[in-house]
C-alpha cells in the first residue's frame, strides 16, 4: 500500500499544473446530497446520506457488499429517483432533473459494465459524444451524416490520448475489456464534463488493466471533480482525496484513507471481506 | 493535456474511415440501382396491380422496420397509420375531390398527427408494454373507423376516383398509376436511407446500442424515439394512402390488427434491421397471399408452414442470411 506522502507526490508529479486543490486544500463543494434516502418496497437501501464532494477532488464511495453504494450512485446520477432528500450540483437543485439533462450540466456518469456502443466503430463512439456536445440535439434526419466528419479530427485526438487511435475503425465490441474502458473514458472526455461519476471503474479487471485505468483516472482528474464507487481498496487509497464509507445504507465514516483505515467501525464492517 | 484535446489532429493523421468500406458502399449502390432497374423492368413480366400492392406494402414494411430495426421499438399497431391514412386519402379524393397527390399528402399528414398522439403515449414504456399500448391504441382507431360516418362502416370507402396526377396524368391508365406508385416507393426508400445515414440516424444507432449510455451522454432518448415513431407513422401513412388510391378502396382490413401482424411478418421474413429485407418480405408475403389463393381456407396453414420453415432456416431473414454470406 502506498504511503500517504508517496501518494501526494505521485499525484503532484502527474498533475503539475491542473490541481490547484492540492495546493490550497480542497475546493468548495460542487455536488452536495442532503438526507438522501431510497426505499424499495419497505427495504431501506439508502437512508439519510449527507455527502459533499469538493471541487477538484477525487472522492471515493466505499463499503461492503449491499451497503447501498450502487443505489447511492444511481441516485446521484439521477438514474433512480430518491424517496426523500435533495441533491445540489453547483448550487442548483437537481433532485428532479432528468438524467440526460444532468449530463448536459456537465455531470457525467460511467457504468460498471463498460458501456460502449458495440456495433459503432471506436471513432464513432467518441464522435457521438462530440456530436451531442457540439451540435446539441441531432434531430436533422434530412442531412447527410457526412457533416459529422468535421468532428473526426477531434475524436481521433481523444482516442490518441487514451492510446486507442490505432483501433479507430474497429467496431467497439471487438476491443478487449481494458480498451473498452479506455474508450469509455475517451467518450466521456469528449463531453468535457466538469464532474465524473465512476461506477466501479476497476470492476472485473486484471492487475495491469487496473494500473492503466488508475493512471487514466488520475490523468482525467486534472481540473475535474471525480466521485467513484470502487471495491479495490488499494486503488481507492492511491487515488482519492476523501473517502466516504457506507454500510447498511448509512454513512459510517468519512475522511482521508489514513483516518478511514484506522476507524474501528470501518474495520469491523469490512471484517472478513477486508481487501488485502 | 487539455489543449491536446481541443486541437483537432491534422487531416493527414486521419485514417480514412470512408475508404474503409468502398466495397460495402458499392454493394449498397448496386442494390439501389438493382431496385430501380427492377421497378422499370418488372411491370413487363408481372401483373402491375400485384406489383403496386407489393410496393405499397413494401413501403409500409420499410417504415415499420425503421422503427423496429433502428429505433428498437416493436409496434403492434402500425395498421392504424396505414389504414387511417387510407381512409383520409380516400375521403379526400372522393368527397373533397382533391387530386391524388394532394389526397395522399392528406393521408400522410393525418398519419403524422396520429403518430404524434400514439407515439407520445406509447414511448414511455418499453418492450412488450410498448407493443401492447400500440395495439390497444390501434384497436381504438379500428373502432373509431368502424363507428365513424365518413368511413362507411363495414363497407369502407369504395369507388375512390384515381383522378389525374397534378391534374395532368390520367391515373386510370395502369402504367401511369404504376409509375406514380414506383416513384413514391423509391422516394420513401431514399428518405429512409437518408434518415438512417443522418446525424439523427447516428444518434438513433447509439440509443439502440446502449440506451443508458446514450442518456448519460445527454441524449434525451424519449424525444429521439418519438421523432422516429412519427417518421415511421408518416411513411406508413404514405403507403396506406397510396394503396387507397391504387385500389380505389379504404376498408376495415387496412386498420385491422391482422395488418399490423402482416407487416411484422414481412419484416421478420425479409430480415429485421436490414435495409432492404422488408422489401423482400413484402414480396414474399403479398406474393403468397395472391398466388396461393387457390388453396382457399388452407392458405393460412400453408402460409404458417412456410413461415415456420423460413424462421428456422433463416433466423435473420432472407436478406440477413444473404448479408452474412457475402460478408464471409
Amino acid at each position: 500500500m502506498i504511503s500517504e506522502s508517496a501518494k501526494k507526490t505521485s499525484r503532484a508529479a502527474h498533475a503539475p499544473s491542473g490541481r490547484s486543490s492540492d495546493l490550497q486544500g480542497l475546493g468548495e463543494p460542487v455536488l452536495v446530497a442532503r438526507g438522501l434516502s431510497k426505499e424499495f418496497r419497505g427495504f431501506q437501501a439508502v437512508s439519510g446520506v449527507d455527502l459533499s464532494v469538493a471541487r477538484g477532488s477525487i472522492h471515493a464511495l466505499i463499503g461492503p457488499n449491499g451497503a447501498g453504494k450502487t443505489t447511492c450512485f444511481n441516485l446521484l446520477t439521477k438514474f433512480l429517483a430518491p424517496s426523500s432528500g435533495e441533491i445540489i450540483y453547483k448550487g442548483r437543485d437537481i433532485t428532479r432533473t432528468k438524467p440526460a439533462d444532468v449530463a448536459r450540466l456537465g455531470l457525467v456518469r460511467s457504468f460498471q459494465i463498460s458501456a460502449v456502443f458495440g456495433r459503432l466503430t471506436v471513432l464513432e463512439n467518441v464522435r457521438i459524444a462530440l456530436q451531442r456536445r457540439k451540435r446539441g440535439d441531432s434531430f436533422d434526419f434530412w442531412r447527410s451524416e457526412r457533416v459529422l466528419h468535421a468532428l473526426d479530427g477531434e475524436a481521433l485526438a481523444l482516442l490518441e490520448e487514451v492510446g486507442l487511435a490505432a483501433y479507430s475503425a474497429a467496431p467497439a465490441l471487438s476491443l478487449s475489456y481494458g480498451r473498452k474502458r479506455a474508450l469509455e473514458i475517451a467518450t466521456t472526455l469528449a463531453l468535457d464534463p466538469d464532474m465524473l461519476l465512476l461506477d466501479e471503474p476497476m470492476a472485473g479487471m486484471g492487475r495491469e488493466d487496473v494500473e492503466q485505468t488508475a493512471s487514466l483516472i488520475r490523468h482525467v482528474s486534472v481540473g475535474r471533480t471525480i466521485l467513484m464507487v470502487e471495491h479495490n481498496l488499494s486503488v481507492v487509497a492511491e487515488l482519492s482525496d476523501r473517502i466516504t464509507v457506507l454500510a447498511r445504507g448509512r454513512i459510517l465514516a468519512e475522511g482521508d484513507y489514513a483516518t478511514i483505515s484506522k476507524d474501528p467501525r470501518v474495520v469491523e464492517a469490512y471484517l472478513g471481506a477486508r481487501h488485502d | 493535456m487539455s489543449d491536446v484535446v481541443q486541437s483537432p489532429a491534422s487531416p493527414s493523421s486521419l485514417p480514412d474511415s470512408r475508404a474503409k468500406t468502398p466495397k460495402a458502399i458499392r454493394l449498397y449502390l448496386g442494390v439501389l440501382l438493382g431496385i430501380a432497374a427492377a421497378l422499370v423492368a418488372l411491370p413487363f413480366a408481372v401483373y402491375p396491380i400485384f406489383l403496386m400492392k407489393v410496393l405499397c406494402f413494401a413501403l409500409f414494411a420499410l417504415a415499420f422496420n425503421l422503427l423496429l430495426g433502428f429505433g428498437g421499438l416493436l409496434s403492434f399497431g402500425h395498421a392504424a397509420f396505414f389504414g387511417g391514412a387510407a381512409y383520409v386519402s380516400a375521403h379526400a379524393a372522393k368527397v373533397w375531390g382533391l387530386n391524388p397527390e394532394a389526397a395522399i399528402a392528406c393521408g400522410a399528414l393525418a398519419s403524422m398527427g396520429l403518430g404524434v398522439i400514439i407515439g407520445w403515449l406509447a414511448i414511455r414504456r418499453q418492450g412488450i408494454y410498448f407493443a401492447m399500448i400500440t395495439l390497444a391504441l390501434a384497436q381504438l382507431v379500428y373502432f373509431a373507423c368502424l363507428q365513424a360516418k365518413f368511413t362507411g362502416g363495414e363497407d369502407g370507402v369504395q369507388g375512390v376516383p384515381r383522378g389525374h396526377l397534378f391534374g395532368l396524368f390520367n391515373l386510370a391508365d395502369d402504367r401511369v398509376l404504376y409509375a406514380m406508385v414506383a416513384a413514391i416507393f423509391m422516394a420513401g426508400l431514399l428518405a429512409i436511407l437518408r434518415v438512417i445515414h443522418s446525424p439523427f440516424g447516428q444518434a438513433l444507432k447509439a440509443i439502440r446500442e446502449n440506451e443508458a449510455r446514450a442518456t448519460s451522454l445527454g441524449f434525451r432518448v424519449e424525444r429521439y424515439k418519438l421523432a422516429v415513431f412519427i417518421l415511421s407513422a408518416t411513411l406508413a401513412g404514405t403507403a396506406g394512402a397510396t394503396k387507397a388510391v391504387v385500389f380505389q378502396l379504404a376498408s376495415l382490413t387496412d386498420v385491422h390488427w391482422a395488418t399490423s401482424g402482416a407487416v411484422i411478418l414481412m419484416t421478420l421474413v425479409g430480415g429485421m434491421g436490414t435495409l432492404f429485407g422488408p422489401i423482400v418480405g413484402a414480396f414474399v408475403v403479398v406474393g403468397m397471399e395472391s398466388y396461393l389463393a387457390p388453396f382457399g381456407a388452407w392458405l393460412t396453414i400453408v402460409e404458417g408452414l412456410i413461415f415456420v420453415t423460413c424462421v428456422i432456416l433463416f433466423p435473420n431473414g432472407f436478406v440477413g442470411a444473404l448479408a452474412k454470406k457475402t460478408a464471409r
Side-chain angles (χ1 to χ4, degrees), chain A residues 184-213:
Chain A
E184 203 190 333
I185 289 172
T187 306
T188 304
L189 284 183
L191 293 180
D192 194 20
D194 297 323
M195 178 165 183
L196 293 172
L197 294 151
L198 307 176
D199 190 4
E200 297 200 21
M202 312 294 175
M205 279 191 179
R207 199 186 161 82
E208 265 174 47
D209 280 344
V210 166
E211 272 163 27
Q212 255 183 20
T213 308

Side-chain angles (χ1 to χ4, degrees), chain A residues 101 104 119 132 138 145 219, chain B residues 1 197 209 217-218 220:
Chain A
D101 296 324
R104 284 161 181 247
R119 281 182 285 175
R132 223 288 293 133
S138 293
E145 65 186 349
H219 172 66
Chain B
M1 272 309 167
H197 294 289
E209 291 294 304
L217 293 183
R220 291 164 176 144

Side-chain angles (χ1 to χ4, degrees), chain B residues 141-187:
Chain B
V141 172
Y142 177 85
F143 284 110
C145 291
L146 184 62
Q147 298 297 333
K149 274 231 168 82
F150 86 100
T151 55
E154 302 277 358
D155 297 332
V157 184
Q158 297 184 8
V160 178
R162 283 181 177 172
H164 289 66
L165 181 63
F166 303 121
L168 296 172
F169 307 103
N170 189 355
L171 296 183
D173 186 339
D174 276 354
R175 289 168 300 178
V176 180
L177 185 66
Y178 175 80
M180 180 190 79
V181 174
I184 290 175
F185 168 79
M186 206 61 199

Side-chain angles (χ1 to χ4, degrees), chain B residues 95-113:
Chain B
V95 180
W96 300 340
L98 293 185
N99 281 341
E101 74 281 355
I104 291 171
C106 283
L109 282 176
S111 265
M112 187 194 246

Side-chain angles (χ1 to χ4, degrees), chain A residues 100-101 103-104 109 117-119 128 131-132 135 137-138 141-145 156 161 168 184 188 219, chain B residues 1 5 13 15 18 194-195 197-200 202 206 209-210 212-213 215-220 223-224:
Chain A
D101 296 324
R104 284 161 181 247
R109 69 165 291 176
F117 303 114
R119 281 182 285 175
I128 196 83
Q131 180 184 337
R132 223 288 293 133
R135 313 179 82 240
D137 280 317
S138 293
F141 59 81
W142 55 88
R143 208 169 272 146
S144 167
E145 65 186 349
L156 199 70
E161 204 175 341
S168 64
E184 203 190 333
T188 304
H219 172 66
Chain B
M1 272 309 167
V5 182
S13 70
R18 278 150 287 182
R194 173 39 63 91
V195 169
H197 294 289
S198 68
F200 172 71
Q202 192 70 15
E209 291 294 304
N210 194 331
R213 179 58 171 163
T215 301
S216 84
L217 293 183
F219 284 102
R220 291 164 176 144
R223 297 187 192 184
Y224 286 85

Side-chain angles (χ1 to χ4, degrees), chain A residues 61-127:
Chain A
L61 200 57
I62 66 169
N65 277 332
K69 299 183 300 285
T70 299
T71 306
C72 202
F73 189 85
N74 283 331
L75 291 173
L76 291 172
T77 52
K78 318 300 305 144
F79 276 65
L80 276 177
S83 308
S84 63
E86 56 177 6
I87 304 166
I88 314 286
Y89 174 65
K90 287 186 182 171
R92 182 172 176 164
D93 189 335
I94 58 161
T95 315
R96 304 274 161 240
T97 311
K98 287 184 177 155
D101 296 324
V102 171
R104 284 161 181 247
L105 293 173
L107 178 64
V108 177
R109 69 165 291 176
S110 76
F111 293 85
Q112 210 171 104
I113 298 160
S114 71
V116 297
F117 303 114
R119 281 182 285 175
L120 302 188
T121 68
V122 169
L123 185 83
E124 283 172 327
N125 264 267
V126 177
R127 200 178 63 189

